[in-house]
Amino acid sequence: MAKITPKIRQAYTMCAQALVLGRVNLDVVDQIGLNADFPIFSVGRAAELADIHPQTLRQYDRLGLIVPQRTPGGARRYCLRDIDRLVQAQRMSQEESINLAGITRILQLMEENRQLKRQNRQLRRRMEGNVVFEAAADGEVIEVQRIRRTTPANPYRRAILQITAS
């Protein structure tokens, strides 16, 4: 497992907290350049973030509801996608009284839908020719949308251009 800097860990933690509070979703995580599948959180930290008992996480893993990645030593590591699934599973279980088999299927369908939407957005950007590739914070190659400016960003440059054009 690669060692990560405290700032990157903090960014993932803040993003996880925003996911739990419902302020962002996994699409936003993709847009800001974080890898939603990067295994960063231990069982204890994931349980703390999602406000779930650690034993519940272990039970979800045994049932196949949320299966975290494993370190070479066998320790569970949760990613942002897992945190999002935990929060949604808790909400469906407690607020909507859906059983675990139903939650598993709903989460699968939601993930398939999200992936299809993501692929659709990527294909549209490629067709428009507005795609540039760059490295994310964790080293993964990602696509970013090219920004085309019609006017200079600096207001002073804009004013100078307007004066010289007159």
Side-chain angles (χ1 to χ4, degrees):
M1 184 96 190
K3 188 150 175 93
I4 58 171
T5 66
K7 286 187 178 185
I8 292 175
R9 184 175 300 279
Q10 183 180 16
Y12 276 92
T13 301
M14 290 172 55
C15 194
Q17 291 168 338
L19 279 169
V20 169
L21 295 173
R23 294 184 179 158
V24 299
N25 59 29
L26 291 176
D27 292 330
V28 174
V29 171
D30 286 339
Q31 289 172 359
I32 62 174
L34 293 178
N35 181 354
D37 295 314
F38 185 62
I40 190 168
F41 304 111
S42 65
V43 171
R45 186 65 177 136
E48 181 184 327
L49 287 166
D51 196 25
I52 297 173
H53 194 278
Q55 197 58 39
T56 304
L57 293 180
R58 293 181 184 97
Q59 182 67 22
Y60 284 174
D61 185 14
R62 281 191 289 278
L63 295 172
L65 181 64
I66 288 131
V67 181
Q69 298 175 45
R70 300 280 182 150
T71 64
R76 293 173 175 92
R77 288 291 181 258
Y78 292 86
C79 61
L80 291 173
R81 187 176 316 283
D82 295 331
I83 300 293
D84 185 58
R85 289 173 61 95
L86 287 169
V87 171
Q88 290 180 35
Q90 284 295 100
R91 184 186 51 78
M92 285 187 260
S93 174
Q94 293 173 356
E95 295 175 11
E96 300 176 25
S97 301
I98 300 173
N99 65 23
L100 293 180
I103 291 171
T104 301
R105 184 65 181 138
I106 290 168
L107 290 175
Q108 287 171 348
L109 291 171
M110 289 173 70
E111 181 58 26
E112 286 177 24
N113 189 28
R114 195 188 76 72
Q115 289 294 334
L116 289 171
K117 285 180 180 180
R118 182 174 178 233
Q119 289 174 359
N120 191 9
R121 279 193 310 271
Q122 288 175 344
L123 290 172
R124 285 180 188 213
R125 282 198 311 254
R126 286 180 185 160
M127 288 177 60
E128 294 170 358
N130 292 335
V131 177
V132 175
F133 295 93
E134 67 178 34
D138 61 358
E140 181 182 348
V141 175
I142 59 171
E143 292 181 15
V144 293
Q145 189 168 3
R146 182 181 312 188
I147 299 173
R148 293 188 178 145
R149 294 186 180 156
T150 55
T151 59
N154 187 330
Y156 298 111
R157 287 178 94 192
R158 191 176 310 129
I160 291 170
L161 285 174
Q162 287 174 349
I163 292 170
T164 57
S166 311

